[in-house]
Amino acid sequence: MRQKRAKAYKRVMALYVGTFGFRTPYQVLLGDDFLLEAAKQKDVDWWKMLGTTVQGEVKPMITQCCIEALYRKGKEFQHVVDMAKRAERRKCNHREAVDPADCLKDMVGDTNKHRYVLAVQSQPLIIKLATTPGLPVMHYNARGVLVLSPPSTATVRAKNAAEEERRAEGVKMLDGVKDGTNVVGAGSGAGGSQGQGRRKVKGPNPLSMKKKKGGEEGRKRKAQEDEVEVEAEAEVEVEDEGRRKKKRKRGRGKGAVATAIAEINAAGGIGLGGDGGGGGGEGEESASD
């Protein structure tokens, strides 16, 4: 099936589903002439084609009157009878077999309350049932293609009437409503006794707010924080004093070494260098004396 045709059939069946309450699997009521035409299609699964045409699962059905009409065709149409036996038997409440067209017309009725999808080839029967709203009709066209007929005029009128009824009900429900203040349930909130539906401005969530410091508990917390700050400052001062003491020790050490060097230099050195040589000359002079 072509994609364009499949989309069109899907829209048609959506109309029957939304307006007339059709549900899957769709009950397809088969006529004897439809089965005779389907038997002419070679190498085609007509059972599957039913579901493809209506875009959903199907439940084929046939009445006893239609099967009797196929039996009367003779043994050469036994294969058509076998096709009919695959469908579910639907009781038509006719004690004696009547014409298949009359049987199908009685099954559909004036309103198609059982929501049948009719599959027939008889054009006079299709014309007669065109006045029944909510009746989808399938048939084979001249080229042997299974098609779904467009919605009839009665079906479109029933759809428009249902939409107008729903619109009127909606207007009736909103009759007299002004700014939503007199809608049912509008006065159940704050200010409902005065007919106001407005809500009061709510404050912040108390659980998410930080508790204020105050009272005895606040004073204790403040005292503890002060003690922690004092201890931290004392530790910082002790560390600074230790650093200063270490620096002073290093300074005193350097001063003692410098003083010792200065004393040696003042005493004339340690006997090395030029001064040492001078000292030796004086020794030799004293020895010669």
Side-chain angles (χ1 to χ4, degrees):
M1 179 181 293
R2 295 180 180 179
Q3 186 176 6
K4 186 176 180 180
R5 185 183 299 171
K7 288 183 178 180
Y9 292 165
K10 190 173 184 179
R11 288 194 296 269
V12 171
M13 293 308 300
L15 182 150
Y16 292 107
V17 170
T19 305
F20 301 98
F22 279 66
R23 294 291 182 271
T24 55
Y26 300 118
Q27 299 183 110
V28 181
L29 193 60
L30 304 173
D32 60 323
D33 52 353
F34 179 85
L35 292 175
L36 290 171
E37 186 67 26
K40 298 178 183 179
Q41 310 299 324
K42 303 298 182 180
D43 301 329
V44 176
D45 189 357
W46 67 275
W47 193 285
K48 183 179 179 181
M49 286 299 300
L50 293 175
T52 304
T53 304
V54 297
Q55 296 292 300
E57 297 181 4
V58 296
K59 183 190 291 185
M61 297 180 175
I62 191 169
T63 63
Q64 185 64 32
C65 295
C66 292
I67 291 182
E68 290 292 339
L70 292 176
Y71 276 122
R72 290 195 293 267
K73 293 288 184 181
K75 293 184 178 180
E76 56 180 341
F77 292 96
Q78 183 62 38
H79 62 288
V80 183
V81 175
D82 296 336
M83 290 172 57
K85 288 182 178 179
R86 294 179 58 187
E88 180 179 331
R89 193 69 57 87
R90 192 68 173 174
K91 292 183 179 180
C92 57
N93 297 325
H94 293 138
R95 294 184 178 180
E96 295 182 0
V98 297
D99 185 71
D102 295 335
C103 179
L104 294 175
K105 187 177 180 181
D106 292 341
M107 292 291 295
V108 171
D110 296 332
T111 59
N112 191 22
K113 64 178 181 179
H114 295 293
R115 301 178 181 86
Y116 292 121
V117 178
L118 189 62
V120 294
Q121 288 295 117
S122 176
Q123 288 300 321
L125 178 61
I126 293 175
I127 294 173
K128 286 181 180 179
L129 295 178
T131 57
T132 303
L135 178 64
V137 178
M138 287 191 297
H139 68 279
Y140 285 97
N141 61 11
R143 293 180 297 175
V145 179
L146 182 61
V147 296
L148 179 65
S149 299
S152 62
T153 304
T155 299
V156 175
R157 287 178 180 174
K159 171 182 172 293
N160 295 335
E163 291 179 352
E164 182 64 22
E165 184 178 357
R166 287 195 294 267
R167 189 192 67 80
E169 291 178 357
V171 172
K172 186 177 180 180
M173 290 177 62
L174 298 176
D175 187 18
V177 175
K178 297 179 180 179
D179 299 332
T181 56
N182 57 344
V183 177
V184 177
S188 60
S193 59
Q194 299 179 359
Q196 298 178 357
R198 297 181 180 178
R199 296 182 179 179
K200 291 184 178 180
V201 178
K202 295 183 179 180
N205 187 356
L207 299 178
S208 63
M209 295 176 62
K210 186 177 181 180
K211 294 183 179 179
K212 295 182 179 180
K213 298 180 180 180
E216 186 66 22
E217 184 178 356
R219 286 193 292 273
K220 289 181 180 180
R221 189 180 299 108
K222 180 65 176 176
Q224 292 177 358
E225 292 177 356
D226 293 341
E227 290 178 1
V228 173
E229 292 179 359
V230 170
E231 291 178 358
E233 292 177 358
E235 291 178 359
V236 171
E237 291 179 356
V238 170
E239 291 180 358
D240 293 342
E241 185 177 356
R243 293 194 188 99
R244 286 197 296 272
K245 286 181 180 180
K246 290 180 181 180
K247 289 180 180 179
R248 287 172 185 173
K249 287 181 181 180
R250 288 195 297 271
R252 285 198 298 271
K254 290 181 180 180
V257 174
T259 302
I261 294 172
E263 291 177 354
I264 293 171
N265 291 333
I270 56 175
L272 298 175
D275 294 342
E282 293 178 357
E284 291 177 357
E285 187 178 354
S286 60
S288 60
D289 292 340

